[in-house]
Amino acid sequence: MTQDISAGRRILVLEDDETLRLVISRALTRAGFDVRATASPSSAIERMARRDADLLVADVLLGDENFLDRLEELQHVRPDAPVLVISAQTTAATAIQAVRGGAYEYLPKPFDLDDLVDAVCRALDTGERAGQQRSGANPFPDLVGRSPAMQTAFRLLARLSTASAPVLFTGPDGSGRASAARTLHRACKPGKALVEAGPDRLRREGVQIFREATGAGLLLRRAERWDDAIQDMVLEQLDQLADTRLYVTALADVRTAMAPALFERLAVGHVDLPPLRARGDDRLRLFEHFLKKHGRTDLAIARDAAEFINAYPWPGEVAELERTAARLAVQGDRGTLGLPALQEALTAPTAPGTGSTLEDAVRAFVAARLSEHSQDIAGDTAAIVDRAMIETVLAHCGGVRRDAARYLGLNRNTLARRLTALGMDSGGEE
């Protein structure tokens, strides 16, 4: 199939990194394409205008120039030529601006060369491009990430920015669902208002909310908490939306709490945001971004603190990470952020109902040991859990080991050995 598409097709590669330019050119040549390359944006546009190539593969940042700013110019001289954009930038805005500027596809660096070849083949085979008017400068910087899961979300946002169907955003509380919805709205309806409502406001104001959002955007939050009356109202209003773009946020299991007919109408577009613990090094990137957002460009992050940030489970998701970064930005010392200051910021008072689970506590303990380069994390963790469990049960039983052993599912001799191993054998009632 690849050979059928590539036969006689010419590809122009625009990349100022000589090594990457060579690697991409070789991969496309092996796939059967006739490949040319350049490091100059102006040269690339001129050659595309002369029809020297059928498709352009272009990097975004080329020296001091951002090629996204020239997509409109390229579309004017070669509206029939697909463009594939590659970029090391980590914001959703890059993906959205690329697609809305006329790019067929957006591939984040680093990418698999097979994925690049497949994208080129699809572009030449279908000739489809999202040829919409390009958006302006980046107005939504908070969606940051290089992890595969986030790049998948960014590409979905880019594609949905050219559509008008309702979009359902799922993911854990605090994972950035509403931010992603606002990002998409700014791309779809720049300058238009976005009306937002949770279950309480929906229950209180009813259909008036839908009327208020006419011609603009409507963000309905926490759909997993909608009762039957709200679900019936939303389903009835869907046919009245006309030119109003609808966005809905919910937990990942919302389907179990929602009428099937309503779910299918709302999830025409679906973006799932992964938990923060699944985003790898994006945790540190986000933390650095939020420090700068809250005014601290002078604060370096020590290695142990950086390792902790990338290993900590962040049970409160992106919202907790931003609050911690903001707290340090406002009251942190100048210079370098070390692990003690970071951990102190994490222990600041939290709102009721935000307690961690046992799994979260274990993750936090392991993250701290990783940042200290401990060599026996399994032993350390098992000892801490054993000590806390046995101390709590013994206290409940008034120190009577016989009763404690029964609660723990152990015989008294085994409990005695565990107490000795943990250094807890200081006597007590048998």
Side-chain angles (χ1 to χ4, degrees):
M1 176 68 175
T2 300
Q3 291 298 325
D4 292 341
I5 296 171
S6 64
R9 308 308 291 273
R10 300 163 301 169
I11 309 298
L12 180 60
V13 176
L14 172 59
E15 170 61 65
D16 62 350
D17 183 308
E18 185 175 357
T19 300
L20 185 55
R21 187 167 68 240
L22 181 60
V23 168
I24 293 173
S25 298
R26 284 178 175 173
L28 293 171
T29 298
R30 284 196 300 269
F33 294 103
D34 179 5
V35 183
R36 300 96 190 278
T38 180
S40 167
S42 295
S43 175
I45 292 174
E46 290 172 6
R47 293 169 71 170
M48 293 301 292
R50 295 199 308 263
R51 298 187 172 270
D52 287 350
D54 302 302
L55 178 145
L56 175 65
V57 177
D59 195 359
V60 170
L61 294 181
L62 301 153
D64 295 330
E65 188 165 355
N66 186 323
F67 191 69
L68 296 183
D69 295 333
R70 302 194 66 174
L71 281 177
E72 187 175 10
E73 179 183 353
L74 179 61
Q75 287 293 301
H76 178 71
V77 298
R78 278 297 301 278
D80 61 316
V83 180
L84 268 64
V85 169
I86 58 177
S87 176
Q89 290 186 301
T90 58
T91 66
T94 304
I96 291 175
Q97 188 177 357
V99 172
R100 290 183 66 83
Y104 172 82
E105 182 63 279
Y106 160 82
L107 292 176
K109 296 179 182 178
F111 50 81
D112 191 294
L113 289 171
D114 289 339
D115 291 340
L116 174 65
V117 172
D118 287 345
V120 169
C121 290
R122 289 197 310 272
L124 292 173
D125 185 42
T126 64
E128 294 176 355
R129 300 183 316 287
Q132 303 294 320
Q133 184 177 357
R134 63 186 291 276
S135 64
N138 177 7
F140 23 72
D142 285 356
L143 292 181
V144 174
R146 289 182 182 171
S147 63
M150 287 305 294
Q151 290 297 332
T152 296
F154 291 170
R155 286 195 292 272
L156 284 171
L157 286 170
R159 291 166 186 164
L160 289 167
S161 71
T162 65
S164 58
V167 182
L168 175 65
F169 293 86
T170 57
D173 277 336
S175 59
R177 300 169 306 191
S179 292
R182 295 178 191 118
T183 293
L184 182 57
H185 177 69
R186 292 188 186 109
C188 296
K189 290 181 173 287
K192 295 288 187 179
L194 179 64
V195 178
E196 302 189 24
D200 290 341
R201 186 182 176 192
L202 274 170
R203 194 175 295 110
R204 186 174 62 251
E205 299 182 28
V207 297
Q208 180 58 37
I209 295 172
F210 291 84
R211 297 190 185 115
E212 182 183 343
T214 300
L218 177 58
L219 171 55
L220 302 180
R221 301 189 302 268
R222 301 186 177 278
E224 75 278 358
R225 299 185 183 179
W226 294 354
D227 57 28
D228 290 345
I230 292 177
Q231 292 190 41
D232 289 343
M233 177 186 64
V234 172
L235 184 59
E236 182 178 342
Q237 291 298 312
L238 286 177
D239 292 327
Q240 313 298 322
L241 289 177
D243 60 343
T244 302
R245 189 77 190 268
L246 178 63
Y247 318 94
V248 177
T249 69
L251 296 177
D253 61 354
V254 63
R255 190 167 195 162
T256 63
M258 185 176 288
L262 179 58
F263 179 86
E264 296 301 332
R265 293 287 300 277
L266 296 180
V268 175
H270 181 204
V271 178
D272 186 52
L273 294 172
L276 195 52
R277 65 176 179 271
R279 301 187 195 179
D281 292 350
D282 284 350
R283 286 168 283 191
L284 179 58
R285 294 186 186 97
L286 274 167
F287 198 90
E288 292 172 330
H289 163 76
F290 287 131
L291 284 175
K292 293 176 182 176
K293 175 184 175 182
H294 292 282
R296 290 301 296 272
T297 58
D298 63 323
L299 192 60
I301 300 176
R303 180 179 176 183
D304 58 353
E307 291 174 346
F308 182 89
I309 289 167
N310 275 335
Y312 186 66
W314 299 105
E317 294 294 331
V318 177
E320 180 188 12
L321 185 145
E322 180 172 8
R323 283 195 301 270
T324 304
R327 189 175 296 124
L328 286 163
V330 171
Q331 62 191 38
D333 294 331
R334 292 186 178 278
T336 300
L337 170 63
L339 182 59
L342 175 61
Q343 291 177 319
E344 183 179 351
L346 276 170
T347 60
T350 56
T354 59
S356 299
T357 65
L358 174 60
E359 182 180 0
D360 292 331
V362 171
R363 287 179 185 273
F365 177 79
V366 171
R369 290 297 181 268
L370 283 170
S371 67
E372 297 164 2
H373 304 286
S374 298
Q375 299 300 308
D376 186 19
I377 294 176
D380 290 346
T381 305
I384 290 291
V385 173
D386 256 13
R387 180 185 298 275
M389 175 178 66
I390 292 172
E391 283 180 345
T392 303
V393 174
L394 277 171
H396 176 77
C397 297
V400 179
R401 294 184 181 181
R402 179 184 62 251
D403 294 343
R406 187 174 65 253
Y407 275 108
L408 291 166
L410 306 173
N411 63 51
R412 281 184 291 174
N413 290 334
T414 300
L415 176 58
R417 288 195 295 271
R418 297 270 279 273
L419 288 168
T420 299
L422 292 168
M424 300 170 62
D425 193 6
S426 58
E429 298 183 34
E430 291 294 330

